[in-house]
Amino acid sequence: MTSKQRLPFLRSSFWRLAVGMPHFVRTGQIGDGREEACAAYVEANARRGDIDDVLDTIDTFATEKSMLVNVGDEKGELLDAAVRRANPKRVLELGTYCGYSALRIARAAPDAEVFSIELSSGNAAVARRIWSHAGVDDRITCVVGTIGDGGQTLGALSAEHGFGAESVDLLFIDHEKSVYLADLLAILDRGWLHRGSIAVADNVRVPGAPKYRAYMREQQGKLWDTVEHKTHIEYQTLIPDLVLESEYLAG
């Protein structure tokens, strides 16, 4: 592991990412084509049908080519462990980006159906290419939409994909930080979680989801049992972050 890989300020792609963040907030992509480039890099360099190699290739792209805003390798291990604890049959992910975290979930839970909600149709296309190359596109479904669109996406999940009472074993939240809590509450209102369901939330410190963190602290031992994992922002070791892992106690 070189210092350049873990010191993002030395990399031009870090500064392009920083400049592109307003575009990312609006569109879900940085705006310099790195998401499409990641898919092409995977197709050119990773062994087809090899999940491990596809994930390693994405990590290589993110550390050597252009930084990505997926969960990354360090926090990905926390996600892997949570998936194994949940032993899910059905997973709901909020925020697909390039499909990296859904791929980690599919690897850790080979019998699970994974459904990923993504704002950007461009990101959905990138993710599907990567999942296809990894050979897991039959187990991961990307639904283009948002939880906060007045019930359209939630309704589609229910009507078209069989989501119903107590059907979600694992919820991974890694999309627009300001709506973490609102989207969690919308899912709770649907009754899709059950006692023992696990919710994992990335980037709770940076960029930050203070309302979500405050809610989990207020509900500690009541509706949720939460562990705060201290970690770092993806693909570097300078900026600290938090991943919250919460077990649902109701239901």
Side-chain angles (χ1 to χ4, degrees), residues 61-181:
F61 179 88
T63 54
E64 296 182 3
K65 303 297 181 181
S66 293
M67 290 186 70
L68 299 172
V69 293
N70 57 45
V71 70
D73 49 358
E74 180 185 353
K75 291 187 289 185
E77 292 183 359
L78 296 172
L79 175 60
D80 295 346
V83 173
R84 290 191 292 268
R85 278 189 285 274
N87 190 25
K89 297 300 181 184
R90 175 165 293 210
V91 177
L92 179 60
E93 175 184 59
L94 309 184
T96 309
Y97 193 48
C98 294
Y100 176 89
S101 50
L103 197 58
R104 291 194 79 113
I105 293 167
R107 180 179 65 175
D111 295 327
E113 292 181 294
V114 182
F115 294 85
S116 187
I117 311 304
E118 171 57 38
L119 169 68
S120 165
S121 59
N123 285 344
V126 165
R128 289 172 183 139
R129 286 170 60 186
I130 290 173
W131 298 336
S132 176
H133 194 81
V136 296
D137 50 326
D138 60 331
R139 295 197 285 119
I140 311 177
T141 300
C142 187
V143 177
V144 177
T146 66
I147 298 300
D149 60 6
Q152 181 176 343
T153 298
L154 289 169
L157 289 171
S158 178
E160 300 172 22
H161 301 292
F163 279 72
E166 301 188 347
S167 63
V168 175
D169 305 307
L170 177 78
L171 174 66
F172 180 51
I173 308 173
D174 191 15
H175 62 329
E176 168 56 42
K177 315 311 166 188
S178 65
V179 297
Y180 273 26
L181 179 56

Side-chain angles (χ1 to χ4, degrees), residues 3 8 48 52 60 72 83 129 140-141 177 205 219 227 239-240:
S3 60
R48 180 173 290 276
D52 292 337
T60 297
V83 173
R129 286 170 60 186
I140 311 177
T141 300
K177 315 311 166 188
R205 179 167 177 170
Q219 293 297 330
V227 175
I239 305 172

Side-chain angles (χ1 to χ4, degrees), residues 201-205 213 228-231 240-244:
D202 188 21
N203 298 125
V204 175
R205 179 167 177 170
R213 188 183 187 191
E228 295 191 350
H229 297 286
K230 294 181 179 180
T231 181
D241 196 7
L242 287 172
V243 170
L244 267 58

Side-chain angles (χ1 to χ4, degrees), residues 26 43 50 63 66 72 88 105 138 152 189 195 214 245:
R26 294 193 308 272
E43 290 167 340
D50 187 331
T63 54
S66 293
I105 293 167
D138 60 331
Q152 181 176 343
D189 286 345
R195 186 176 184 86
E245 180 182 343

Side-chain angles (χ1 to χ4, degrees), residues 166-241:
E166 301 188 347
S167 63
V168 175
D169 305 307
L170 177 78
L171 174 66
F172 180 51
I173 308 173
D174 191 15
H175 62 329
E176 168 56 42
K177 315 311 166 188
S178 65
V179 297
Y180 273 26
L181 179 56
D183 287 0
L184 173 68
L185 295 178
I187 290 165
L188 284 176
D189 286 345
R190 291 268 172 160
W192 288 355
L193 302 185
H194 58 79
R195 186 176 184 86
S197 293
I198 291 178
V200 178
D202 188 21
N203 298 125
V204 175
R205 179 167 177 170
V206 178
K211 291 181 180 178
Y212 183 93
R213 188 183 187 191
Y215 165 81
M216 285 301 181
R217 287 183 163 182
E218 194 276 330
Q219 293 297 330
Q220 178 65 21
K222 302 172 187 176
L223 284 180
W224 296 93
D225 180 22
T226 297
V227 175
E228 295 191 350
H229 297 286
K230 294 181 179 180
T231 181
H232 300 93
I233 286 293
E234 42 270 23
Y235 300 116
Q236 55 81 55
T237 54
L238 291 180
I239 305 172
D241 196 7

